Amino acid sequence: MNKVVIIGAGYTGMAATMGLVGRLKRRDDAHITIVNPQTRFTERLRLHQTASGQRLADLQIPDQLEGTGVDFVQGWVTAIDADAQTARIDDAHTLRYDTLIYALGSVADTETVPGVDEFAYTLNSAQDATLLADHLGRLTDGTVVVAGGGLTGIESAAEIAEQHPDLDVVLLSRQTPGSMMGDKARARLHAGLERLGVAVHAGVEIVKVMSDGVALDDGTVVHAQAVLWTTGVRVSPLAAAAGLEVDHRGRIITDESLRSVTHPNVYAVGDATAVRQGYGVMHGTCQSGIPSALQAASSIVRELKGKQPKRFRFGYIHQPVSLGRNDAVIQFTHADDSPGRFYLAGRMAVAYKETVSSSPWTTYRLLKALPALGAATSIPSTAERTEIAGVIRLSP
Ligand SMILES: Cc1cc2nc3c(=O)[nH]c(=O)nc-3n(C[C@H](O)[C@H](O)[C@H](O)COP(=O)(O)OP(=O)(O)OC[C@H]3O[C@@H](n4cnc5c(N)ncnc54)[C@H](O)[C@@H]3O)c2cc1C
């Protein structure tokens, strides 16, 4: 019996699990266990909604696993012994594995600037987002600083501004928010932020977070009643501590089939990995993470059948960003994530973004029922790209 242990039941851990469940239906030579600290699935794509006070659906992981034969273990993985092939849970007991799927994701990098850990809020978990929501709910006026102009920072600033019109929202960023988009999509993004009253300051460097605001490198202090930190991510130190080869950011380095280069019985998926493609190392997104997880599931089943795992190839298709509940901008991209010609904005973009955000959970349900879904290619074919382009009109 091959013991497959999956650590982390976020987007990719769940995708790998359901991919395996669908594919192993007629086999009895593998047993799957998944470990996660919470029973509730964290819809990370929607944590900015939680932070602004909205309630999300209560998606329970054990309910999703019902009838699959998968064991769910609630707990934190506190250590991995890659030689003994065990994962330690809550420093209390160990799980032995033949194959490990490492899907621990990433969290906001709160270690680089003093005061962040002590004074800033994060979107690292539903609990963290709820802490910010509770705090914002108590404020009647004042300023909220959102630090970081990446997609998470933009979405958070927009969402908070929309849900809390009495608060001033200031988005502070090193780079121009939307710098990875094309000119037209970026201009539309800024118009959307302006409409919501978000004050954007780009080209600034935050050097300290304090109880009453942030200090910039030019000596300016931006006073605020709340600071949300979204700049950059860091990964769990568990992989490095276990002796798996990692990159300078602690992400597991994999071969072309998503196996650790030092420990091939460890598949690494999602934000916690550094996967090289022709255009460079992939950055962490759900968009790329879920295909990586499905491919890992497929490869594990191939190995059970005595076959070689296949090479993982992935190309990006979009940069979706919500601007509150009534606006969004979707920049369609080339495979290397550089902006393409088309973008979508306004109502159609809202519908598109909502479909993207809710699709993972729907996908898991379908995977349980329709194993063939897991075989879906991770790179849109030329025909699919043309089809996508065909339904997109340039927004005014
Ligand atoms: C506000 C926001 C909006 C986003 N929007 C988009 C978007 O529109 N499109 C997109 O593609 N990406 C988006 N992302 C990025 C996306 O959420 C991540 O790339 C994705 O969640 C990565 O999936 P993952 O499975 O690797 O990690 P996660 O989904 O973070 O899952 C990791 C899981 O591991 C668990 N875990 C961590 N440590 C341990 C441990 N020691 N033991 C046991 N379990 C552990 C965690 O509790 C969690 O359940 C967004 C992110 C944020 C924060």
Side-chain angles (χ1 to χ4, degrees):
M1 178 70 71
N2 192 295
K3 290 186 166 65
V4 182
V5 171
I6 299 161
I7 55 173
Y11 288 101
T12 63
M14 283 300 288
T17 304
M18 302 320 285
L20 279 169
V21 164
R23 286 157 181 279
L24 288 171
K25 266 194 179 136
R26 277 176 231 97
R27 301 183 68 97
D28 56 6
D29 53 353
H31 181 267
I32 308 165
T33 305
I34 184 163
V35 186
N36 201 61
Q38 311 86 13
T39 60
R40 184 172 173 169
F41 180 72
T42 301
E43 284 190 277
R44 202 163 154 207
L45 300 186
R46 295 188 190 275
L47 284 183
H48 55 299
Q49 292 179 240
T50 305
S52 66
Q54 299 165 55
R55 278 179 186 265
L56 303 183
D58 182 4
L59 304 173
Q60 287 289 326
I61 297 164
D63 291 349
Q64 177 69 17
L65 298 177
E66 207 176 305
T68 61
V70 173
D71 280 342
F72 176 74
V73 173
Q74 186 175 2
W76 286 94
V77 177
T78 47
I80 295 164
D81 186 329
D83 296 325
Q85 299 184 192
T86 56
R88 191 143 185 80
I89 316 295
D90 288 332
D91 283 331
H93 63 282
T94 54
L95 274 176
R96 209 192 71 70
Y97 62 81
D98 297 300
T99 308
L100 182 74
I101 302 186
Y102 188 104
L104 297 186
S106 63
V107 291
D109 187 356
T110 54
E111 289 173 351
T112 46
V113 172
V116 176
D117 263 334
E118 201 177 348
F119 299 117
Y121 291 89
T122 65
L123 298 185
N124 285 348
S125 65
Q127 289 87 337
D128 292 324
T130 304
L131 281 179
L132 176 57
D134 292 347
H135 179 61
L136 296 180
R138 288 189 291 269
L139 296 177
T140 47
D141 58 10
T143 299
V144 181
V145 161
V146 177
L151 296 187
T152 303
I154 296 168
E155 292 196 327
S156 304
E159 205 78 39
I160 293 168
E162 187 175 82
Q163 299 293 325
H164 297 276
D166 297 339
L167 301 177
D168 295 325
V169 179
V170 179
L171 179 60
L172 299 180
S173 177
R174 216 178 260 155
Q175 269 126 22
T176 304
S179 55
M180 65 297 174
M181 293 178 158
D183 292 344
K184 287 183 180 167
R186 185 169 51 253
R188 179 59 181 76
L189 179 91
H190 282 262
L193 288 171
E194 195 180 329
R195 183 183 56 76
L196 288 166
V198 176
V200 178
H201 297 285
V204 300
E205 187 76 29
I206 300 172
V207 292
K208 194 175 174 190
V209 178
M210 300 156 304
S211 60
D212 59 350
V214 299
L216 309 183
D217 61 346
D218 64 2
T220 313
V221 170
V222 181
H223 291 284
Q225 281 62 47
V227 176
L228 171 62
W229 198 256
T230 74
T231 70
V233 293
R234 68 181 152 85
V235 299
S236 165
L238 285 181
L244 276 71
E245 190 165 330
V246 296
D247 72 356
H248 63 287
R249 291 172 51 195
R251 298 177 301 176
I252 296 175
I253 299 178
T254 70
D255 65 12
E256 59 180 25
S257 304
L258 302 170
R259 298 175 300 187
S260 155
V261 288
T262 47
H263 297 78
N265 61 342
V266 178
Y267 280 85
V269 295
D271 284 10
T273 64
V275 180
R276 184 161 287 284
Q277 296 288 313
Y279 49 79
V281 175
M282 283 161 48
H283 58 267
T285 59
C286 229
Q287 183 188 169
S288 52
I290 288 179
S292 75
L294 295 178
Q295 173 98 6
S298 157
S299 291
I300 289 169
V301 177
R302 283 182 68 84
E303 287 191 298
L304 285 173
K305 291 177 179 167
K307 296 180 183 168
Q308 281 300 310
K310 281 191 179 157
R311 183 176 157 213
F312 176 65
R313 290 171 66 237
F314 173 79
Y316 294 92
I317 57 166
H318 60 202
Q319 297 161 356
V321 54
S322 63
L323 297 170
R325 294 300 86 205
N326 302 306
D327 197 7
V329 177
I330 316 293
Q331 170 71 65
F332 292 90
T333 66
H334 301 291
D336 64 359
D337 208 29
S338 61
R341 230 184 107 203
F342 297 104
Y343 76 100
L344 203 59
R347 238 167 2 98
M348 276 176 74
V350 172
Y352 186 104
K353 172 73 184 180
E354 182 53 33
T355 306
V356 168
S357 299
S358 51
S359 64
W361 195 256
T362 315
T363 306
Y364 307 147
R365 285 173 189 277
L366 288 171
L367 280 168
K368 194 158 78 170
L370 303 168
L373 247 192
T377 173
S378 51
I379 299 191
S381 63
T382 310
E384 283 167 332
R385 283 180 168 272
T386 311
E387 196 184 328
I388 290 166
V391 296
I392 302 155
R393 279 182 284 115
L394 276 176
S395 190

